[in-house]
Every structure is written in C-alpha cells, then in structure tokens.
Amino acid sequence: MTIELHTWNTPNGRKISVALEEMGLPYKVFPVHIGKGEQMKPEFLAISPNNKIPAIVDPDGPDGKPVSVFESGAILLYLGEKTGKFLPTSLAKRIPVMEWLMWQMGGFGPMPGQVHHFIALENEVDRAYGLKRFSDETRRLYGVLDRRLATHEFVADELSVADFAILGWAWRHERHKVALADFPNVARWYDTLMARPGVSRGFAVKLD
C-alpha cells in the first residue's frame, strides 16, 4: 500500500522523504506549494490541522485502517513504529532518540527557520517588526489550540503528556501578552489542569 506524502521542498519535508526511502516504504509525493498558500486549502487542513507541511496518509495504518499523521516528529515516530526500523524497542535506547528528536523539533528547526526569514530581508529590521511577527504567530498557535479544545476535553481526548508539554508554555501566557479570556477553550483546559494536585505540585517545586 502506497503512503501519500503531502509536502514541499523544505527541511521538514526532506526528513520524511529520507526516512521513507531508508525504510523501504512505497510512497507517492503530493506537492503542497506553500508559496501559493496551498497549505491553507481545506483538503490539506483535513489531514494537517496546523496548516503545515509535511503530512502523510497511510492507507494501511493501525488495524489495517487508513490514518493521517501531521507534524514531522510524529510522522517519524509513526513510521519507526510501523516498520520497526530506526526506532529502538528498548526504552533505554529509545530515550536518546526521543531526546534528540525533541531537541530538533523544539530548537534546531524553528530557530534556523527564523534566520532563513530574516537573512532574506534586504533592509534592517527593528525590534518592533520581529516582536509583531512572533507575537502574531504565538496568537495564531493559541487559536489552533483553542479550536482543538472546542471539541476535545484534552488535546488527545484523554489526559496525556502532550497536555503537560503544552501547559508548560501556556503557563507563560502573561509573558506572551496573551489574555486567556480571548481563547475560552484554552482557558477552560488551563484551569482544569492547574486545579489538579499533581500539576500544582509540579509548578510549586523549586527548579532553580
């Protein structure tokens, strides 16, 4: 069964094509021209809620049912689980794989991506421009989360490590200059989590 790879010629797209090749999985590329805004089309949104490439559709997913996966890190983990390749089964060996995958997803990708953006500008860019750019993107991401939480109690239905990961950043919403009242579903989710004894202890413990 051929996997659909919806992508464009970017670093995030290339990491998936390389993995598919290394794993020997058959696939077909469906170009998503991000320069023309094709990532905003409803049909792409259906498989990639964050409007970002890449995304895949595997017609032979879990239990033989079709499945779509978005976010390059999630795709890599999925493909590793599917094939049993390039993802150790031993937890001890899997830990560094996950550590460095998260390091890339959280840092060595987003930050170079901003260098790509600013280095291409011909004129000097002042603080106000950069602050507006990143503030607008931050609010957009809060909106993505708010839409998800409009139909889900937690981001993955049941409470999971994904909620804890997101909460760590939502905790800084005041520093982001974001009022949770503007995102009522996020506010509901945030208050629910912060009321949990374990979460409360996690924020109370001294870490510095």
Side-chain angles (χ1 to χ4, degrees):
M1 307 271 282
T2 301
I3 290 174
E4 296 179 7
L5 172 58
H6 299 258
T7 193
W8 195 242
N9 187 23
T10 70
N12 284 334
R14 287 294 169 192
K15 68 175 75 165
I16 306 305
S17 60
V18 166
L20 287 165
E21 291 287 348
E22 287 280 354
M23 295 174 183
L25 288 169
Y27 67 98
K28 180 179 180 181
V29 174
F30 290 77
V32 180
H33 197 316
I34 58 178
K36 295 181 178 178
E38 292 179 356
Q39 72 276 21
M40 307 304 293
K41 290 184 176 180
E43 56 266 35
F44 185 68
L45 176 63
I47 61 172
S48 183
N50 199 28
N51 298 112
K52 302 289 186 180
I53 60 95
I56 67 168
V57 176
D58 184 0
D60 185 25
D63 301 320
K65 299 177 181 179
V67 67
S68 62
V69 186
F70 75 103
E71 287 293 334
S72 59
I75 295 170
L76 291 171
L77 291 173
Y78 169 76
L79 295 175
E81 291 281 0
K82 177 182 176 71
T83 63
K85 297 179 179 178
F86 306 106
L87 186 64
T89 55
S90 161
L91 179 58
K93 293 181 178 179
R94 189 176 288 212
I95 287 171
V97 174
M98 295 187 293
E99 286 176 330
W100 285 97
L101 176 60
M102 300 307 147
W103 175 85
Q104 187 279 309
M105 295 294 295
F108 198 70
M111 294 306 101
Q114 294 308 316
V115 174
H116 295 170
H117 172 78
F118 286 105
I119 205 171
L121 297 178
E122 295 181 359
N123 300 320
E124 288 295 321
V125 180
D126 61 16
R127 176 180 178 274
Y129 171 81
L131 185 59
K132 181 179 187 306
R133 173 179 168 80
F134 295 123
S135 294
D136 287 349
E137 174 63 6
T138 296
R139 289 190 66 85
R140 187 190 73 82
L141 291 169
Y142 272 95
V144 171
L145 180 61
D146 197 67
R147 291 192 295 274
R148 175 66 175 181
L149 293 170
T151 55
H152 297 77
E153 183 179 7
F154 301 108
V155 292
D157 292 320
E158 296 182 0
L159 184 64
S160 73
V161 293
D163 294 285
F164 303 150
I166 298 166
L167 183 65
W169 282 95
W171 172 55
R172 292 294 198 186
H173 64 273
E174 293 181 353
R175 181 175 289 184
H176 302 158
K177 306 298 182 183
V178 171
L180 291 189
D182 294 341
F183 304 95
N185 300 307
V186 175
R188 183 269 306 163
W189 166 87
Y190 182 88
D191 290 343
T192 297
L193 283 176
M194 295 301 278
R196 295 177 65 86
V199 170
S200 180
R201 291 193 299 270
F203 279 105
V205 65
K206 184 175 174 58
L207 299 180
D208 57 5

